[in-house]
Amino acid sequence: MKHAALSRTVIGGLAVAALGAGLLVGPAPASADPYQDAAGNGPTATMVIHPVIDTDTIGTSSQQRTWASTLGVRNAGGLDAADSQASYLQFNVSPTAVPGTVVSARVVLTATPDSTAPAGTQLNSAFVSDDTWNGEQVTRYDPIFTLTGATKPTATDIAGSTAPLRADRGAVRYEGDVTSAAQSENNGDGRLSLRVWTADQNAAVQFHSDDHSIGDNRPALLVTFRPTTGRDKKDAADAAKDLADAREYLRRLGPVRHDVALPSTGIHGSRLTWSSLDDQNLNDRGKVTRPTADLPDADVALDLKVSDGSVTLTDRLQVVVPRDPEAKAATPVDAALRPVAVEREVTDLISQKWGTAFTPVTPPTQVLTREIPVAPGQSIQAAIDGVAAAGGGVVRLGAGVHPLTSPLNMQSTVTLVGAGQDHTVIQYTGTGSAITTTLKQIQDVVMKGFTLEGVKGDLGGALGIYFAGADPESAHHHRIALQDVTVKNFPGHGVHIKRTTDLLTDHLTSMYNGERGSLFHNSYWLFDNRILQSDTQLSKPVLGKGAKYTSTSDVITQRMQIHHAAGNGIQADGSNDVRIFFQKLNISDVGKSALWMICEIFNNPNQYTEDPAYAPNYVIINESSFVGNLRGGVWKIAQNVLVRDSVFDNIRNDLILMKSSPEFENTKFEHAPEYFTDNSQVPAL
């Protein structure tokens, strides 16, 4: 994507930003109250609100929907014709989102560069009174629903919303007046659902959706409102100025080659919160890591939230991080699996508490005497098949981007090694799973030194790495290792391994996965035993959890980090979920619970299960930190839990304990643990 330019205009002596700036403030009135005119009404302000969700539907298809990468509008013979397409958007216009009285509202959609509809094509908006098409999941990070032509919610055309496509600041846009509907919903449930369509026969338009679009390209609702209190008026004005300043600051930076200062406070007092969608190249604190000469420039989406009192404005900005032609050239990566040492304190505690019941992981056996090199564009699968047929060996991926459109079928005793995470990228655009196997049992597989990247917003919902043994007891996979591997941007699981014995991950980064739904995670281990995870980064899952452990045993995680999750950080559950050791676990800023250890059966999570067999048993948490989460932990019937030398400092609760009585040693709490003996008394979670 190209950098979104910021357009600025001077109105009444005040500089205001264009569409993507978040809020436009009118001229200061001449009165004793700088936020109120002579009539006592005060000036109006215009907020830019982005969708809670947007998608489209074609004819009478019944595909499950989530965020769409683009929004299609097409008239192929009536709204319900087989090839006709309509776009649906929902905006939050509740009083908590709009701090004042709605004066007017306009929906704005921007056509993509490949849209073929000519300027002048007429479009219109209709009001959708039935919001249940959203499945009552109305947050930005958790919408899944079914929207079909046969069951499309009834929509009523909004008078004045019909308008043509027009050229605007180098783009083509539709701007429809939806004031009456916005006013109604501002006084109602606050959810403004719209359908955008065209009555022009044979007209077809493709619009940018809110899925990773930048700045002015994002769908928007421009709501002009009159703040109700002096405090709201000032908050709105200050937040608007600070957001406009932030956009201008990034625009002036241009392509960034060095670390960027991302301020936490605007000069007008607003609180600024930044969230990068690509930590590899630019993290939330502004640290820049330029792509190597082997890779293309990075276009990094950077979400910004500006909060001032009752007003919160959001925008998605863009920073271009150019590749570094002078970066150190790729050097051959040793294909041999690097030994992973378990911290001495971990082995000592396991010996004291669990004795010989705990079985440590066995690493894979490798064949390193045979190699097949693969350059970008050459067949990785042919090389895998070749070394496997010869009895095992190494497939060595060269530096650069390796496009992949169909799953890699791994074989036993194969090591897949790249030139390093910063030099070799496997870019997967297919369906199913990027790296998997068709074998019922596979063994001695090593993946090392590369980045595996999916496509965000892909409704096909591909997974990154997926291995599943044929049977939980009699037909496990054996000895699989991931070392120095990054997995990102997969709508399904990033890494999902089940029915496997002996799993080793070392310096694994799995981030931005799980967009397909709350049941998809950065990593998911199911019916696995003997797991060692060291120096693992599992932050920013889109919908699901950083890590999920179901029916796992003999697990050691050391130095794992999970930050910024909308839901839970870690979930542990399932029958025989036993002997799990968390060493130096660091979880922060998750929207629900940092560590969710429950007794609900994993395949029926909505029914409480009063059975200790389905709860984690024998768990040690040592030298760990749970800070800034909504809750530090919710543990139900978790037995034989020891917490040592750890810190809990969370927003609402540190620990909610349902029939669980952990042993605490030298552990600090901001809120005292809360104990319950009846699940009906446990606070709503």
Side-chain angles (χ1 to χ4, degrees), residues 33-246:
D33 182 349
Y35 302 102
Q36 181 171 295
D37 64 16
N41 292 321
T44 60
T46 300
M47 297 183 69
V48 177
I49 301 176
H50 300 295
V52 173
I53 184 172
D54 60 30
T55 192
D56 56 23
T57 187
I58 301 174
T60 57
S61 64
S62 58
Q63 183 181 4
Q64 191 180 57
R65 309 299 286 173
T66 181
W67 290 88
S69 56
T70 59
L71 300 176
V73 177
R74 179 171 63 247
N75 184 341
L79 183 61
D80 290 319
D83 292 330
S84 282
Q85 209 166 359
S87 292
Y88 287 78
L89 307 95
Q90 187 175 105
F91 300 91
N92 179 10
V93 294
S94 67
T96 57
V98 182
T101 303
V102 174
V103 176
S104 66
R106 306 185 307 281
V107 61
V108 181
L109 299 178
T110 302
T112 63
D114 57 356
S115 183
T116 58
T121 299
Q122 296 283 324
L123 293 105
N124 63 75
S125 296
F127 171 59
V128 182
S129 60
D130 178 7
D131 295 315
T132 59
W133 59 270
N134 201 9
E136 297 184 355
Q137 299 180 58
V138 297
T139 63
R140 166 62 177 89
Y141 291 106
D142 198 17
I144 296 178
F145 55 92
T146 300
L147 183 63
T148 69
T151 60
K152 275 186 228 169
T154 302
T156 304
D157 287 342
I158 300 172
S161 70
T162 300
L165 287 175
R166 290 177 179 161
D168 176 31
R169 303 193 305 277
V172 175
R173 293 190 171 91
Y174 160 68
E175 184 170 334
D177 188 336
V178 295
T179 300
S180 59
Q183 290 173 334
S184 172
E185 293 310 287
N186 178 245
N187 294 315
D189 64 10
R191 291 185 288 180
L192 174 63
S193 294
L194 301 173
R195 183 193 72 204
V196 178
W197 198 59
T198 177
D200 288 3
Q201 286 286 332
N202 302 316
V205 194
Q206 286 294 119
F207 291 111
H208 289 283
S209 84
D210 199 39
D211 183 62
H212 294 278
S213 292
I214 303 296
D216 293 358
N217 287 334
R218 298 178 72 184
L221 187 74
L222 275 64
V223 179
T224 299
F225 68 100
R226 180 169 285 110
T228 53
T229 70
R231 179 72 255 179
D232 289 339
K233 299 166 191 175
K234 185 177 187 307
D235 292 345
D238 289 345
K241 293 171 186 175
D242 284 336
L243 180 52
D245 287 346

Side-chain angles (χ1 to χ4, degrees), residues 303-343:
D303 280 351
L304 173 60
K305 181 169 68 174
V306 179
S307 302
D308 196 313
S310 61
V311 176
T312 296
L313 308 177
T314 61
D315 206 350
R316 178 169 295 145
L317 313 176
Q318 182 191 34
V319 175
V320 176
V321 181
R323 63 180 183 169
D324 185 358
E326 299 180 0
K328 185 178 179 181
T331 56
V333 170
D334 188 352
L337 191 65
R338 187 173 59 249
V340 180
V342 177
E343 292 190 18

Side-chain angles (χ1 to χ4, degrees), residues 513-570:
N513 304 296
E515 189 177 11
R516 186 170 163 184
S518 59
L519 299 179
F520 295 87
H521 319 296
N522 278 335
S523 68
Y524 184 16
W525 318 97
L526 174 63
F527 297 125
D528 298 324
N529 57 77
R530 301 205 292 264
I531 302 173
L532 172 58
Q533 297 173 290
S534 188
D535 300 283
T536 307
Q537 174 59 263
L538 301 174
S539 297
K540 297 186 178 180
V542 179
L543 297 180
K545 301 164 184 67
K548 189 170 189 290
Y549 303 87
T550 297
S551 299
T552 57
S553 61
D554 295 347
V555 179
I556 295 174
T557 78
Q558 56 182 16
R559 301 182 298 274
M560 175 184 288
Q561 296 190 50
I562 301 175
H563 310 296
H564 302 290
N568 298 318
I570 289 178

